[in-house]
Amino acid sequence: MATPQSESSYELFYWPTIQGRGEFVRLALEDAAIAYSDVARLPKERGGGVEAIFRVLDGNGGGGRHFAPPVLRHRGGTEPRDFVVSHTACILDFLAVRSTRHGLLPEADPGARHTALQLQLTIADLAGEAHETHHPIAASLYYEDQKDEAHKRSATFLRERMPKFLGYFEAVLRENKASNKEYLVGAGFTYVDLSAFQAVTGLAQAFPNAFDRVRKDTPLLCALAERVAARPKVAAYLGSPRRLAPSTNDLFRHYPELDP
Amino acid sequence: MATPQSESSYELFYWPTIQGRGEFVRLALEDAAIAYSDVARLPKERGGGVEAIFRVLDGNGGGGRHFAPPVLRHRGGTEPRDFVVSHTACILDFLAVRSTRHGLLPEADPGARHTALQLQLTIADLAGEAHETHHPIAASLYYEDQKDEAHKRSATFLRERMPKFLGYFEAVLRENKASNKEYLVGAGFTYVDLSAFQAVTGLAQAFPNAFDRVRKDTPLLCALAERVAARPKVAAYLGSPRRLAPSTNDLFRHYPELDP
């Protein structure tokens, strides 16, 4: 893969067949119209496949070791010239700050960066807990081997945690609305709104019954998710083959027995 | 609490009787010799108690809503003047950047900020999984009500996940050592080293038997934890009453039955 790097380029390393945590990064790249290569989805002979992920995790991508995907490599940038970064929220902060012209963070507000990061980390916690609903014992075991525990964990997630998380984002939006702000970060649209769309969409797909019960209490959050889905570049992406279909291999999974 | 704010001041809002996730922030404040108030540990009549945490979560601390503690309030700073930030890794990034003179991040290396953040988020994932070992079904239930599941979850955590996480940090240190660097971020000492100390200490205390089995494979990480513990300000803190004792109400918990 010794291609000449004449201009800045972004490469995403993430599991090629699921949305997963990589989807939060894909949505930011797509909405910001940043050209990128979804490396593991390329054929092996072009340096793709899951082997590409393991190479970059092991530090053979030139940017140190990384614990887990998603990983983003930026080539031909400045300060430092090439950079490899992992962990969803860290990647999003990196992208937003390195490419302020792409509009993933408002430039005017110096506090917006940390407000966005803390909201993103709360979304990461919600996504993590959604994953635990089907894997409460071990990520290395099949769902079928931890079904009883998944049943218990899902019940408390849907009864206590999902309403608490979604209610929190709703309250943030409600208070922002009182000052005529329409996004999760008061200062304006950020990558957090894209991630909130993904979380809402994932939960509604995984737990349609439970989600219907919280929908009436989260009108602003649901409206935000719809506004995000209608953003031209997001809409184009969602209608493209680049957007992978949900499945029971993904982070958000629909098992009817977990959503009575 | 209408005290005049003539100079910059930091207030930490965290559960007053446990180390928990707040300890990562306390260690950074202590090592950097930043004066701070551990608000919930103050008496109620001075604005303390857990009520202070709920007030700041609800946005009555003047800095928007926050999902969970730890929360840090900075008063009398610049850009913006007062700021409230939550989520451990976000607080640490905020502190490190706002107070570069305190040495929580090397100033020379522009990539160090993201390298530190991604390592910190990996430590946060490790801490989260350590918490799941005693609460695999619901944080709202007692350990005693999810003991069977805790037994299963702990077994896979100790067999698969703890060695993977600690082995990752060891590999990062080993590669840095090959370039004569002695901390987790190649550019120099950061808040991540303090957090690694806390994670190692917490795991060794919670799972002494399992930790003894990985110790021989993680000599650089264990040595780093010892070096951090010997830093003068850390050592003074660890010997002070400000350092809370471990307990079975904490994030890292020692239950002999989970550590065969």
Side-chain angles (χ1 to χ4, degrees):
Chain A
M1 292 297 284
T3 51
Q5 295 299 325
S6 55
E7 52 186 89
S8 161
S9 70
Y10 287 94
E11 293 165 307
L12 174 66
F13 297 82
Y14 194 68
W15 307 120
T17 56
I18 61 168
Q19 294 180 14
R21 288 177 173 83
E23 198 66 11
F24 299 108
V25 182
R26 290 188 185 116
L27 280 165
L29 291 163
E30 294 279 349
D31 185 75
I34 298 172
Y36 70 102
S37 168
D38 203 339
V39 180
R41 292 173 74 179
L42 297 175
K44 252 175 113 163
E45 51 278 18
R46 288 177 54 205
V50 293
E51 295 82 354
I53 301 175
F54 295 118
R55 278 195 297 272
V56 83
L57 292 181
D58 286 345
N60 296 325
R65 286 180 177 270
H66 299 268
F67 189 73
V71 180
L72 187 77
R73 180 160 60 188
H74 185 201
R75 285 183 148 164
T78 48
E79 54 147 321
R81 196 171 146 70
D82 291 355
F83 200 70
V84 187
V85 65
S86 57
H87 237 293
T88 310
C90 189
I91 293 172
L92 291 169
D93 179 76
F94 172 84
L95 262 183
V97 170
R98 191 156 282 212
S99 307
T100 46
R101 70 194 155 91
H102 294 308
L104 293 169
L105 264 182
E107 277 183 84
D109 186 319
R113 180 172 180 178
H114 281 110
T115 302
L117 181 59
Q118 82 194 16
L119 284 162
Q120 185 65 37
L121 290 170
T122 304
I123 293 175
D125 285 347
L126 168 57
E129 293 194 25
H131 179 269
E132 299 291 320
T133 60
H134 49 78
H135 277 79
I137 299 302
S140 61
L141 291 175
Y142 289 111
Y143 162 65
E144 287 70 20
D145 297 327
Q146 47 195 316
K147 225 168 155 172
D148 290 348
E149 296 88 352
H151 194 85
K152 290 189 196 177
R153 175 91 189 211
S154 298
T156 57
F157 174 75
L158 297 178
R159 190 173 61 240
E160 299 166 8
R161 302 296 289 171
M162 188 171 86
K164 183 172 172 174
F165 275 105
L166 299 184
Y168 167 73
F169 294 119
E170 182 73 14
V172 169
L173 286 169
R174 195 163 53 234
E175 288 177 9
N176 288 349
K177 198 185 176 186
S179 338
N180 291 313
K181 317 271 178 143
E182 58 182 339
Y183 295 107
L184 280 162
V185 175
F189 173 80
T190 66
Y191 62 81
V192 176
D193 300 303
L194 299 167
S195 292
F197 155 78
Q198 177 65 11
V200 164
T201 305
L203 291 169
Q205 181 269 322
F207 305 106
N209 293 327
F211 195 86
D212 265 352
R213 293 192 291 274
V214 297
R215 198 184 294 272
K216 66 177 187 322
D217 298 322
T218 55
L220 296 172
L221 182 60
C222 292
L224 174 69
E226 282 176 29
R227 286 207 318 279
V228 167
R231 288 172 71 86
K233 296 205 170 57
V234 173
Y237 169 63
L238 297 178
S240 80
R242 297 192 300 286
R243 172 75 165 184
L244 294 158
S247 78
T248 49
N249 291 314
D250 216 313
L251 171 58
F252 296 107
R253 299 188 187 184
H254 178 53
Y255 290 119
E257 65 272 24
L258 299 184
D259 181 41
Chain B
M1 293 298 284
T3 51
Q5 294 299 326
S6 56
E7 53 184 271
S8 161
S9 70
Y10 287 94
E11 293 164 306
L12 173 67
F13 297 81
Y14 195 69
W15 306 120
T17 56
I18 62 168
Q19 295 180 14
R21 287 177 174 81
E23 198 66 11
F24 299 108
V25 181
R26 290 188 185 117
L27 280 165
L29 291 162
E30 294 279 349
D31 184 76
I34 298 172
Y36 70 103
S37 167
D38 202 340
V39 180
R41 292 173 73 178
L42 296 174
K44 251 175 113 162
E45 52 278 17
R46 288 177 55 204
V50 292
E51 295 82 353
I53 300 175
F54 295 119
R55 279 195 297 273
V56 84
L57 292 181
D58 286 345
N60 296 324
R65 284 179 178 271
H66 298 268
F67 188 74
V71 180
L72 188 76
R73 180 159 62 188
H74 185 202
R75 285 182 148 164
T78 48
E79 52 147 322
R81 197 173 143 72
D82 291 355
F83 201 72
V84 187
V85 65
S86 58
H87 237 294
T88 311
C90 188
I91 293 172
L92 290 170
D93 178 77
F94 173 84
L95 262 182
V97 170
R98 191 155 284 211
S99 307
T100 45
R101 70 194 155 92
H102 294 309
L104 294 169
L105 263 183
E107 278 184 83
D109 186 321
R113 181 172 179 177
H114 282 110
T115 302
L117 182 59
Q118 83 194 16
L119 285 163
Q120 186 64 37
L121 290 170
T122 304
I123 293 175
D125 285 347
L126 169 58
E129 293 194 25
H131 179 269
E132 299 291 321
T133 61
H134 48 79
H135 277 79
I137 300 301
S140 60
L141 292 174
Y142 289 111
Y143 162 65
E144 287 70 19
D145 297 327
Q146 47 196 316
K147 227 169 153 171
D148 291 347
E149 295 88 352
H151 194 85
K152 289 188 197 178
R153 175 93 189 209
S154 298
T156 56
F157 174 75
L158 296 178
R159 191 174 58 239
E160 299 166 8
R161 302 295 290 170
M162 188 170 88
K164 183 174 174 174
F165 276 105
L166 299 184
Y168 167 73
F169 295 118
E170 182 72 14
V172 170
L173 286 169
R174 195 164 50 235
E175 288 176 10
N176 288 348
K177 198 184 176 186
S179 339
N180 291 314
K181 317 271 178 144
E182 57 181 339
Y183 295 107
L184 280 162
V185 175
F189 173 80
T190 66
Y191 62 81
V192 176
D193 300 304
L194 299 167
S195 291
F197 155 79
Q198 177 65 11
V200 164
T201 306
L203 291 169
Q205 180 270 322
F207 305 105
N209 294 328
F211 195 86
D212 265 352
R213 293 192 290 273
V214 297
R215 197 185 296 271
K216 68 176 184 321
D217 298 322
T218 55
L220 296 172
L221 182 60
C222 292
L224 174 69
E226 281 177 31
R227 286 205 322 275
V228 167
R231 289 172 68 86
K233 295 204 170 58
V234 174
Y237 168 63
L238 297 177
S240 79
R242 297 191 301 287
R243 171 76 164 183
L244 294 158
S247 79
T248 49
N249 292 315
D250 216 310
L251 171 58
F252 296 107
R253 298 189 188 182
H254 177 54
Y255 291 119
E257 65 272 24
L258 299 185
D259 181 43

